[in-house]
Amino acid sequence: MSFAVRSGAGLISVGQSLLPRLSIPSLSIPLPSFLQPRQKQAEDVEKQEKLRQLAQELPNTRSGIPFFHDNGILLAAPKKKTSHMKRRQRLYAPGSKQIKLKNNLNRCPACGHYKRSHFLCMHCVSEIQQYWKQRDVKLQPEPFKEEFTNPQDEEVLYPGKTERMYERKLRRKEYLVKRPKTLPVEH
Amino acid sequence: MPLGRTAKHLGHTMRNLVSSLIEHESVTTTLPKAKMAQGMIDNMIVKTKKSTLPANALKSKLYGELYNQEKTVPKLMNELTERYKDRNGGFTRILKLEPRIGDNAPQAILELVDNGEREMKFWYIAKTVARLELQGQPLDDLTEKNVRDLLLYRKDGDEEFRRTVELCKKEFFDDSEEELKNLPRMKSNTNGFHRTFRNYKVVPREEKPKE
């Protein structure tokens, strides 16, 4: 790939709008000094003086936006835009980046669905784990529940206690991505 | 850096995992972490079993190696050493799972063998046996071997296994005729297990003529 050298011209134009106006040198070509009025000549001398001072201070000032991008150092940039074909060849052609076929498929002995060999069937695992959860909940002591003899007390203490839409979503865990049930075997 | 962690961070991760495993009998993590923790827990149980230190010294040593010590250390010293007194190794097993949803990390279950409460392999094989019995099929060789291995050192294993099989029949195959429809497809009696070692004939060696 070839590279051309290009200055950071775009950044300078951004910098100009951010800088205060006074510090920007005018880029117009000045008339010869004998044609200009004397007042203007004096102004020009002042301007030149200011610019020189600025140029001397440039390397010392660390804060603020630099006068030139990277102090005028030129950067390498690609010469041509990468074509559609070349980009797609680079990104999507290699076999290592494509989805591979799985040949290690077996049938789960405990439910008969497809599963990968040497791996457990996630359907059976989740079924068993859910059963364990139910079983262990029964063994644990019941969680504390506030009881009111007078039902009006509850209304006073917790007014307007209704389940909002997003609360219901949170409770039902609808935001979770669920694992699909494995494919049944066709004979 | 193993597991993308510094040595200190790794040490704490493993200590956490091993402590949780001792406390809960089974943990689900990524496969590399499970493999790493497996060696450590096996080593720890062997050293606790063979330790000649007095009980106090051993206890204080283990306090430096585990977390949640009030639960884990007495359990390791009493319950686990008692449970594994006949075994010389292989106190844990790793069961591979499908990759995690979200970051696609390979997952695994790391569990202590012969634990009473949450042994996934025990339940999985019990479910397999329950399904075969409901279908009216004989056990294939691989399942038979699995059951035999599972109950080798287990105390009252046969009764518990029978009980679990009945429970599985009730819980998991209650109203699912779909799961019973697919009969096991056994290409051979061996079902892919030790095929080369079973299908052979014994030919007696020719006797040399005596001179």
Side-chain angles (χ1 to χ4, degrees), chain A residues 107-113 115-116 118-125 127-129 131-136 177-179 181 184-185 187, chain B residues 26 28 95-101 107 109 116-120 123-124 127-128 131-132 167 171-173 178-179 181-185:
Chain A
R107 277 174 56 183
C108 170
C111 70
H113 293 300
K115 75 166 188 67
R116 279 158 80 193
H118 307 293
F119 286 72
L120 293 190
C121 161
M122 288 309 275
H123 174 62
C124 293
V125 167
E127 258 191 348
I128 292 169
Q129 279 173 345
Y131 172 73
W132 288 349
K133 229 179 194 176
Q134 288 174 9
R135 181 192 65 183
D136 295 349
V177 182
K178 277 173 189 166
R179 207 178 278 277
K181 199 176 176 183
V185 178
H187 284 281
Chain B
S26 156
T28 309
L95 304 168
K96 284 190 204 169
L97 299 180
E98 289 290 318
R100 193 195 281 154
I101 286 176
Q107 276 182 295
I109 295 178
E117 300 157 5
R118 293 180 164 243
E119 197 175 0
M120 182 53 78
W123 278 78
Y124 200 92
K127 200 185 165 195
T128 309
R131 178 163 176 265
L132 284 172
L167 208 61
E171 289 291 330
F172 304 129
F173 300 102
E178 186 200 340
E179 289 189 345
K181 235 188 315 185
N182 295 325
L183 291 176
R185 180 186 55 187

Side-chain angles (χ1 to χ4, degrees), chain B residues 54-94:
Chain B
N56 268 342
L58 179 63
K59 194 177 170 189
S60 60
K61 179 174 166 277
L62 289 176
Y63 259 64
E65 293 174 359
L66 292 169
Y67 286 131
N68 202 356
Q69 293 95 339
E70 286 164 14
K71 280 185 186 175
T72 51
V73 171
K75 188 173 179 183
L76 177 59
M77 283 171 67
N78 305 323
E79 197 184 326
L80 296 189
T81 44
E82 173 63 24
R83 193 195 291 170
Y84 299 133
K85 63 184 176 191
D86 296 334
R87 284 180 187 266
N88 293 322
F91 312 113
T92 52
R93 75 166 68 87
I94 285 180

Side-chain angles (χ1 to χ4, degrees), chain A residues 5 21 23 29-30 33 43-44 51 59 79 89-90 101 109 115-117 126 138 140-141 155 166 169 176 181-182:
Chain A
V5 169
R21 283 214 166 169
S23 62
I29 303 161
S33 61
E43 278 178 6
D44 275 2
L51 275 175
K79 198 169 186 179
Q89 275 178 359
R90 187 184 69 237
L101 291 175
K115 75 166 188 67
R116 279 158 80 193
S117 51
S126 64
K138 285 175 195 166
Q140 282 172 358
E155 284 174 19
Y166 74 90
K169 268 189 180 176
L176 286 179
K181 199 176 176 183
T182 41

Side-chain angles (χ1 to χ4, degrees), chain B residues 36-63:
Chain B
M36 215 173 221
Q38 190 182 30
M40 296 183 74
I41 179 76
D42 274 14
N43 205 353
M44 198 176 276
I45 293 175
V46 166
K47 282 183 178 171
T48 313
K49 269 173 67 176
K50 291 185 177 175
S51 167
T52 52
L53 292 170
N56 268 342
L58 179 63
K59 194 177 170 189
S60 60
K61 179 174 166 277
L62 289 176
Y63 259 64

